[in-house]
């Protein structure tokens, strides 16, 4: 069972057999930590003289939070991040998000700038090898489902192996039953990632339009669902639209 992540040695050793494909998003991101505690997943969008940034931040331990900084390619180039050290990049990000960090520092863990890799495999097994998790597929961090997908892959594989006595049949069952579910989530992740590829443009919207655009970005939440989830928001959003039309 190959659960060896984005850079899976198993997948790379048998790329043709797995029908592997890899592409990358154009946005740049760097993954930091911070001692600033964020109660829930939240986001900060900041426009500077040289471009636009956004940060995904959420608490993962009692006294620690993840702080993922993202910017589009134009902003990355304008800041000259290509020639900056990890420490210099960190200092710039601390300055950009000083108000959000509220006096706390960013903590680096080899926090280099990266492009998100899109990984997909048409064939989920080859001979006696089977892929799960990021070795098999990647889902953009903006929908926060990577770990869940990996665990559910493992559960689905276990159930298939328990249901079938012949290993190749079990592996075929695992792919047949699990693949449509994963494809649906990966499609939502790609749609969400596409929104982030253009987030500087979305930042030009007024507050309510921006909020609505962000919440519905993955295509998984329509007006009816949003109205049920957050009636106060939808009432305010619809009032703003009616007011603008009037």
């Amino acid at each position: 069972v190959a659960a060896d992540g984005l850079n899976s040695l198993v997948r790379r050793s048998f790329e043709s057999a797995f029908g592997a494909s890899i592409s990358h998003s154009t946005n740049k991101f760097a993954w930091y930590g911070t001692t600033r505690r964020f109660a829930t997943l939240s986001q900060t969008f900041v426009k500077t003289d040289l471009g636009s940034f956004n940060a995904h931040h959420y608490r993962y331990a009692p006294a620690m939070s993840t702080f993922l900084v993202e910017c589009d390619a134009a902003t990355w180039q304008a800041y000259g991040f290509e020639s900056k050290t990890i420490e210099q990049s960190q200092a710039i990000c601390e300055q950009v998000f000083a108000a959000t960090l509220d006096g706390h520092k960013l903590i680096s863990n080899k926090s280099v700038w990266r492009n998100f890799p899109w990984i997909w495999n048409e064939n989920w097994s080859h001979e006696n090898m089977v892929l799960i998790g990021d070795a098999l597929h990647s889902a953009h961090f903006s929908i926060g489902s990577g770990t869940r997908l990996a665990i559910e892959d493992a559960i689905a594989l276990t159930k298939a192996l328990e249901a079938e006595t012949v290993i190749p049949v079990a592996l075929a069952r695992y792919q047949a039953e699990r693949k449509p579910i994963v494809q649906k989530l990966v499609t939502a992740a790609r749609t969400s990632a596409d929104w982030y590829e253009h987030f500087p443009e979305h930042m030009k919207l007024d507050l309510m339009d921006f909020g609505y655009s962000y919440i519905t970005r993955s295509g998984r939440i329509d007006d009816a669902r949003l109205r049920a989830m957050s009636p106060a928001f939808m009432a305010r959003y619809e009032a703003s639209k009616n007011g603008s039309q009037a």
Side-chain angles (χ1 to χ4, degrees):
V1 177
D4 50 347
L6 291 172
N7 296 313
S8 169
L9 176 62
V10 174
R11 185 194 67 242
R12 287 187 287 117
S13 299
F14 301 93
E15 285 187 344
S16 297
F18 285 116
S21 62
I22 302 176
S23 60
H24 292 83
S25 293
T26 60
N27 278 12
K28 294 286 187 176
F29 72 93
W31 205 294
Y32 298 101
T34 180
T35 51
R36 169 75 196 276
R37 295 174 62 187
F38 296 94
T40 61
L41 170 62
S42 48
Q43 301 241 346
T44 300
F45 294 85
V46 176
K47 182 173 176 55
T48 73
D49 292 340
L50 294 180
S52 299
F53 292 83
N54 78 294
H56 310 241
H57 32 74
Y58 53 90
R59 189 160 55 91
Y60 70 86
M64 289 295 298
S65 297
T66 291
F67 201 96
L68 189 157
V69 177
E70 183 177 15
C71 64
D72 63 344
T75 300
W76 188 77
Q77 291 170 357
Y79 272 86
F81 282 125
E82 184 176 9
S83 60
K84 296 285 192 295
T85 64
I86 290 177
E87 293 75 20
Q88 289 172 329
S89 290
Q90 180 179 328
I92 292 171
C93 291
E94 285 177 343
Q95 182 179 18
V96 169
F97 292 100
T100 306
L101 290 167
D102 193 26
H104 293 259
K105 296 291 187 180
L106 292 176
I107 299 170
S108 175
N109 181 15
K110 298 181 181 178
S111 300
V112 298
W113 291 101
R114 292 179 284 164
N115 296 78
F116 184 81
W118 291 101
I119 293 170
W120 184 254
N121 293 269
E122 282 302 317
N123 307 314
W124 290 22
S125 62
H126 170 60
E127 296 179 350
N128 67 332
M129 296 167 282
V130 60
L131 305 175
I132 67 171
D134 285 347
L136 175 60
H137 47 64
S138 58
H140 194 254
F141 47 78
S142 63
I143 68 166
S145 293
T147 302
R148 190 189 83 184
L149 282 171
I151 293 172
E152 290 178 348
D153 285 348
I155 293 170
L157 176 59
T158 300
K159 288 182 176 180
L161 290 167
E162 289 174 341
E164 303 289 348
T165 56
V166 180
I167 297 297
V169 176
L171 298 182
R173 179 169 181 160
Y174 159 62
Q175 176 171 329
E177 294 182 351
R178 179 73 180 144
K179 192 173 185 179
I181 298 170
V182 172
Q183 283 178 318
K184 185 177 180 180
L185 281 167
V186 168
T187 297
R190 282 186 175 271
T191 305
S192 176
D194 183 67
W195 187 93
Y196 281 97
E197 294 275 284
H198 304 93
F199 79 85
E201 291 299 313
H202 298 308
M203 289 172 66
K204 297 176 183 178
L205 299 172
D206 65 40
L207 179 62
M208 295 308 299
D209 283 336
F210 178 80
Y212 177 82
S213 174
Y214 170 75
I215 295 169
T216 59
R217 71 191 184 282
S218 70
R220 294 187 295 176
I221 298 178
D222 57 17
D223 285 1
R225 184 177 176 189
L226 184 53
R227 195 173 289 110
M229 290 169 55
S230 186
F233 173 85
M234 276 302 284
R236 186 178 173 191
Y237 171 72
E238 290 171 339
S240 72
K241 301 308 291 181
N242 292 334
S244 64
Q245 290 173 359

